[in-house]
Amino acid sequence: MKSPIPDYLAGVLEKVRPIERGAPAGYIDTLARADTSKLAVAIAMVDGNLYSAGDDRVEFSIQSISKAFVYALAIEDSGLERVLEKIGVEPSGDAFNELSLEKGTNRPMNPMINAGAITAHSLVVGPDATAEQRTDRILKALSRLAGRELHVDEEVYESELKDGDRNMGIGHMLKAAGIIKCNPQEVVRGYIRQCSINVNVRDLAMMAATLCNAGVHPVTGESIIPQRSVRQVLSVMTTCGMYDAAGDWVSNVGIPAKSGVAGGIIGALPGQVGLAAFSPKLDERGNSVRGVAICEKMSSDMGLHMMEASQIARATVRTSVATIVAGECEPHNRNCQREVVIFSLRGAVRFAGSERLSRAIQREVGDPDPADPGSGAHADACAIVLSFRDVYSLSAVAQKVIGEVVRRLLLEDRSVVIVDPSHVFPKEVKGDKDAQHPVIVQSEGEARDHIGGRGCSTLQKTDSW
Ligand code: GLU
């Protein structure tokens, strides 16, 4: 069978191809001469699988998309506190190259407009770094994110530098305001070099997927951006990534994103998928017209809007009951003609899943509640089994909530057996006394043997028992 996904992507390109609106960036010579027929899309999954269509190997300069990643490097090299002292996180509503600073603090409004991005560039490596050290660090980091060696497009660099008066003006403004301490011309030259790094949509989708994958490169497994910085970068991309179209973008597309004046766009949906689109003609706000249309279509077709409440936490817990007849060999629960209650969880369990589990346990094995017929039905179960067989991760808060539920069950002298072949359950959980600890086993069979002793049999079975 051929995967339907590349065909779908090719179909998306054909849908947006007739859109003729917009013009390539006019203020940089080389970009103004771009071949506007080029059109490409790519998506990268968090396990590294990548799909693309159209002109997916055509290179273009990364431009402002670099700002998101250089912001992450600035945080890593100078620390979040210092970065926040120097650059705000508020959407500006201004053009990307506005000569503006935040009233009161004198900081650039955010790291996605040029003033903030030039400041972020100056914070890479450290205050005494040379221009070469900074650009070298950035080029290497972007190459690791793309998974291949990237290069600066010297023609774009020269052409942008030649007409770079506005950015030079921003550099001098930052120096006068005390935001940057180093030579403004050198910082701006470095920033323009960072913007002139060439990429294709496949590189960008993989870079975006690294953000989606908590900063770990989906293919190499290398941890490139610390998780705390990823959160900061995605937050700023959400509110400021699409220049002053951020509100329209968040409501229509709903994916943290960043665009660049060469016509590239990335979108990074945390935990799911990285997107990239390319088409050189821009709208009046500087975003690729067809690129935006591609992202809108994919978000709506694939249900990618981050505010989409389609995943209902209810599905996470399944409750079932089995009756075990004890075998002769060392049964832990001789009176096991009573039931065993099994709570099975599934998938990536976060706070909502742990709350569902806690509620389900309370309802089944707690005291009956007159207002809730059926509650307390298994109050005298001889054992409570939590099966994490189909769970592949428990978030920190889910570990805390479920750990506390287990501790409380142990304090009530309940027998708790945990099926945890993937080792997601925190080992340190126990009750007050030494004897009060959950029994952790690898499979349902082991859990059964523990409860009823080897040779036990199950009278009433559920599918996994
Ligand atoms: N190098 C471009 C500039 O500073 C980047 C702008 C952009 O992509 O928005 O003008």
Side-chain angles (χ1 to χ4, degrees):
M1 189 213 64
K2 197 168 142 261
S3 164
I5 297 170
D7 294 340
Y8 165 74
L9 293 179
V12 170
L13 294 187
E14 291 327 305
K15 265 263 171 345
V16 305
R17 203 181 292 278
I19 305 175
E20 286 295 349
R21 253 179 322 111
Y27 73 106
I28 301 173
D29 262 1
T30 325
L31 300 188
R33 287 184 274 106
D35 178 350
T36 57
S37 70
K38 297 292 182 228
L39 181 62
V41 64
I43 64 173
M45 313 311 294
V46 288
D47 66 0
N49 213 18
L50 194 137
Y51 303 93
S52 57
D55 301 302
D56 55 355
R57 310 276 170 167
V58 166
E59 295 196 347
F60 50 93
S61 49
I62 188 167
Q63 297 295 341
S64 274
I65 300 170
S66 63
K67 293 172 179 173
F69 300 101
V70 171
Y71 184 49
L73 296 180
I75 295 172
E76 191 174 344
D77 295 353
S78 294
L80 181 59
E81 206 178 320
R82 179 154 177 77
V83 169
L84 290 174
E85 261 167 35
K86 299 279 179 190
I87 312 167
V89 288
E90 295 301 331
S92 69
D94 291 332
F96 68 92
N97 54 3
E98 194 70 21
L99 277 100
S100 63
L101 293 172
E102 195 175 54
K103 282 197 188 65
T105 67
N106 252 2
R107 300 174 302 179
M109 294 289 279
N110 66 65
M112 301 294 146
I113 55 169
N114 288 10
I118 292 169
T119 308
H121 180 93
S122 78
L123 294 169
V124 171
V125 184
D128 304 322
T130 62
E132 286 70 37
Q133 283 170 326
R134 288 200 188 98
T135 43
D136 188 52
R137 160 103 169 105
I138 292 168
L139 187 59
K140 286 204 171 106
L142 294 192
S143 297
R144 273 155 66 214
L145 286 158
R148 72 178 182 113
E149 203 175 323
L150 301 177
H151 299 280
V152 171
D153 185 326
E154 297 294 342
E155 192 190 332
V156 170
Y157 170 67
E158 292 300 337
S159 150
E160 194 169 343
L161 193 59
K162 177 169 66 71
D163 296 318
D165 303 324
R166 199 171 174 98
N167 282 329
M168 287 296 174
I170 294 175
H172 286 287
M173 171 188 75
L174 292 168
K175 176 83 193 253
I179 295 291
I180 61 172
K181 298 272 183 263
C182 34
N183 178 336
Q185 307 219 0
E186 202 169 74
V187 174
V188 172
R189 272 199 295 271
Y191 160 75
I192 292 176
R193 259 191 113 60
Q194 144 197 338
C195 290
S196 308
I197 294 171
N198 266 354
V199 287
N200 61 38
V201 281
R202 295 170 66 87
D203 301 325
L204 287 181
M206 201 51 89
M207 294 164 86
T210 306
L211 290 175
C212 307
N213 197 32
V216 175
H217 193 279
V219 174
T220 64
E222 185 190 359
S223 178
I224 304 183
I225 305 174
Q227 201 163 356
R228 178 64 183 86
S229 311
V230 170
R231 195 179 86 182
Q232 183 73 14
V233 170
L234 290 176
S235 304
V236 177
M237 282 167 67
T238 306
T239 51
C240 316
M242 299 301 279
Y243 309 119
D244 56 335
D248 274 347
W249 177 268
V250 171
S251 49
N252 290 338
V253 181
I255 300 174
K258 184 70 205 92
S259 70
V261 287
I265 299 182
I266 60 165
L269 189 60
Q272 290 199 50
V273 61
L275 318 176
F278 168 60
S279 165
K281 283 192 185 173
L282 310 181
D283 61 21
E284 54 296 336
R285 286 146 146 178
N287 296 320
S288 164
V289 177
R290 288 174 177 161
V292 169
I294 289 171
C295 295
E296 281 178 351
K297 179 152 178 54
M298 290 204 291
S299 170
S300 107
D301 289 351
M302 296 158 75
L304 298 180
H305 198 295
M306 62 184 163
M307 300 300 173
E308 196 84 63
S310 59
Q311 286 170 357
I312 307 300
R314 236 187 338 261
T316 330
V317 184
R318 210 185 62 218
T319 306
S320 48
V321 177
T323 307
I324 290 180
V325 178
E328 298 98 60
C329 183
E330 296 165 22
H332 284 81
N333 296 279
R334 290 192 178 280
N335 53 356
C336 246
Q337 272 68 349
R338 296 208 310 254
E339 299 125 332
V340 174
V341 200
I342 306 133
F343 298 93
S344 310
L345 283 103
R346 191 171 265 282
V349 178
R350 297 194 286 186
F351 173 69
S354 64
E355 187 275 342
R356 289 290 313 174
L357 175 69
S358 148
R359 198 149 25 117
I361 295 179
Q362 197 185 7
R363 182 170 191 277
E364 298 299 328
V365 307
D367 293 333
D369 173 1
D372 177 10
S375 62
H378 306 293
D380 60 353
C382 72
I384 296 164
V385 177
L386 307 189
S387 174
F388 297 127
R389 194 193 59 185
D390 297 325
V391 170
Y392 57 86
S393 67
L394 279 189
S395 72
V397 64
Q399 291 192 11
K400 272 200 185 139
V401 173
I402 298 175
E404 183 56 22
V405 165
V406 169
R407 196 182 72 84
R408 290 177 183 212
L409 290 171
L410 295 169
L411 291 180
E412 291 174 7
D413 272 328
R414 306 267 191 174
S415 158
V416 181
V417 181
I418 294 182
V419 180
D420 187 21
S422 318
H423 310 289
V424 293
F425 182 77
K427 280 187 224 48
E428 61 281 2
V429 173
K430 55 179 179 55
D432 280 351
K433 300 176 225 144
D434 272 357
Q436 288 178 328
H437 61 83
V439 171
I440 301 183
V441 296
Q442 302 294 307
S443 66
E444 273 80 9
E446 252 188 81
R448 240 184 357 244
D449 285 353
H450 171 81
I451 297 166
R454 244 168 301 128
C456 72
S457 52
T458 314
L459 274 188
Q460 190 195 319
K461 281 197 198 147
T462 69
D463 46 5
S464 58
W465 278 65

